[in-house]
Amino acid sequence: RGGGGGGAFLDYRPPCQCSTRHSVYPRMGERAHAWRDIPTHEDACPPCNVAGAQPLGSSLLGNAEQFCESFFHCKECPEAGEWALEPVCLRHGDACRGKTVVAIARLVDHAANTIVYQARYSNCFRGSPVFNDHAEEFMIRDTELRRAIDALENAPGKYQLIIWLTYQPCHHSSDNPRRSCTREILKFKRMHLDARSVHLSIRFTFPYRGHWNTPAELETHGEKIKSAQVGTRILQFEPNVDVRSFDAQDWIILLSMCDDDVSDAGVAGLRLAEGQYADPDDLDDTLTVERWRHRRRLDAFTASFLADMHALGAPSERV
């Protein structure tokens, strides 16, 4: 099987080393990396018959600490200003490691207002950047997702595949510079989504290296920073694709995939942070209004990064 390094095939791949230390979803085996959340409906599509599939509404994202490690965690970001010099984390005790990347893929039928398919994917630690699997790669290799897409009719405007990501997809910008999840996503899109006129929406919480601008970062990671920026622009100018940061509705959707107590407290804190009504009794001391305000400022920073990239125009590099 390909190792993900620029399409190279490797004779040996170390076993998955994900454990309590390396995985946000420990002790789940392969389900830690690809866990399907299948909607129940009368006209069940083939993925609904997958062994072990869970009904929609089960907790894909888990407790507050897992939700933080997956999406919420606010890294320090001096590029955004002095307000972002300290991280904001929901974990009690140790802070999130910042090494986990989670993807949620949701295939939506807008006309029927239904979810056709949904799954969570997370990266796999195999001891080296050469061998590690990225969350996007698990999504692309999900045969049930492909089957759900291929079963759709060709109806422009009816279907959308939404991908929520921890970070922007890499593009020769990770510690394995041969790898490009941007390239792999576009291959997947052109082979499967374009044939059914499925719109692709990519949404992420934070840039990956593309926003770095200090002299030390430019000296050490200059080529990777440029590659990350090019990868973003490639996605932005690909037909039938939109790339954006999270808005409040994205957070509400992801909170609905968490444990009930996290969902209730998270929605209350977010709504109050957005100036909307919420029952204060639903709040807790983890997903507070102050933390949500910080998170939403970071979302605005990500949006500004994307606007800056789009303003540069389509890159000369083609995928």
Side-chain angles (χ1 to χ4, degrees):
R1 185 173 60 177
F9 283 83
L10 304 172
D11 294 330
Y12 169 71
R13 284 174 59 75
C16 170
Q17 299 180 32
C18 292
S19 63
T20 301
R21 176 169 173 255
H22 290 117
S23 176
V24 67
Y25 298 103
R27 297 179 297 279
M28 290 186 68
E30 282 301 309
R31 291 190 301 167
H33 305 306
W35 180 235
R36 299 179 181 92
D37 184 25
I38 307 300
T40 55
H41 48 83
E42 292 182 0
D43 300 322
C45 56
C48 293
N49 299 318
V50 175
Q54 298 297 301
L56 190 67
S58 60
S59 183
L60 271 187
L61 293 179
N63 60 33
E65 293 187 353
Q66 291 170 319
F67 175 59
C68 190
E69 189 94 53
S70 301
F71 291 108
F72 184 91
H73 185 79
C74 304
K75 301 181 69 173
E76 60 274 14
C77 183
E79 296 85 358
E82 292 187 1
W83 63 270
L85 293 179
E86 296 294 330
V88 172
C89 184
L90 305 181
R91 295 179 70 92
H92 297 288
D94 295 336
C96 292
R97 300 178 304 280
K99 298 295 185 180
T100 297
V101 177
V102 170
I104 296 284
R106 173 180 280 190
L107 183 61
V108 180
D109 180 341
H110 284 304
N113 195 28
T114 59
I115 299 169
V116 179
Y117 187 85
Q118 182 167 278
R120 185 202 73 223
Y121 313 91
S122 63
N123 57 341
C124 176
F125 179 75
R126 295 183 184 272
S128 165
V130 174
F131 299 109
N132 296 345
D133 290 316
H134 290 195
E136 298 96 322
E137 292 173 316
F138 283 105
M139 182 197 75
I140 290 166
R141 295 199 298 256
D142 185 351
T143 57
E144 299 303 333
L145 173 59
R146 294 183 183 186
R147 186 181 303 174
I149 294 168
D150 293 344
L152 301 176
E153 61 180 314
N154 188 345
K158 183 177 182 181
Y159 301 107
Q160 181 180 39
L161 178 64
I162 305 170
I163 307 173
W164 291 280
L165 283 163
T166 312
Y167 300 115
Q168 72 182 91
C170 68
H171 181 63
H172 310 300
S173 51
S174 70
D175 290 335
N176 178 3
R178 295 183 298 168
R179 173 180 270 145
S180 171
C181 286
T182 294
R183 186 183 306 275
E184 297 306 315
I185 287 172
L186 289 185
K187 287 181 182 178
F188 174 83
K189 177 253 182 189
R190 292 166 183 171
M191 181 176 295
H192 297 279
L193 301 185
D194 286 355
R196 297 292 185 269
S197 300
V198 178
H199 180 83
L200 176 61
S201 181
I202 300 172
R203 308 169 187 185
F204 55 82
T205 70
F206 202 65
Y208 180 70
R209 291 183 170 169
H211 64 298
W212 286 358
N213 59 14
T214 67
E217 289 168 337
L218 292 170
E219 180 179 356
T220 305
H221 300 287
E223 289 304 313
K224 292 179 180 179
I225 293 170
K226 292 178 183 177
S227 293
Q229 294 175 353
V230 168
T232 298
R233 292 161 58 203
I234 288 172
L235 291 172
Q236 288 178 317
F237 286 91
E238 172 74 10
N240 210 27
V241 174
D242 72 81
V243 184
R244 64 174 178 82
S245 63
F246 282 22
D247 61 21
Q249 186 59 33
D250 291 311
W251 286 114
I252 289 175
I253 291 171
L254 293 178
L255 284 165
S256 73
M257 303 177 197
C258 296
D259 294 349
D260 289 343
D261 59 332
V262 177
S263 178
D264 293 343
V267 170
L270 174 60
R271 285 178 172 164
L272 290 171
E274 295 281 302
Q276 302 173 10
Y277 172 77
D279 189 343
D281 291 338
D282 289 335
L283 291 172
D284 64 13
D285 60 356
T286 301
L287 283 157
T288 64
V289 174
E290 292 74 18
R291 286 173 172 169
W292 271 117
R293 286 173 178 159
H294 188 103
R295 176 64 260 180
R296 297 295 287 130
R297 290 185 75 179
L298 207 55
D299 294 337
F301 170 78
T302 300
S304 69
F305 163 77
L306 287 170
D308 290 344
M309 293 299 100
H310 193 274
L312 295 174
S316 57
E317 180 180 337
R318 291 291 181 263
V319 172

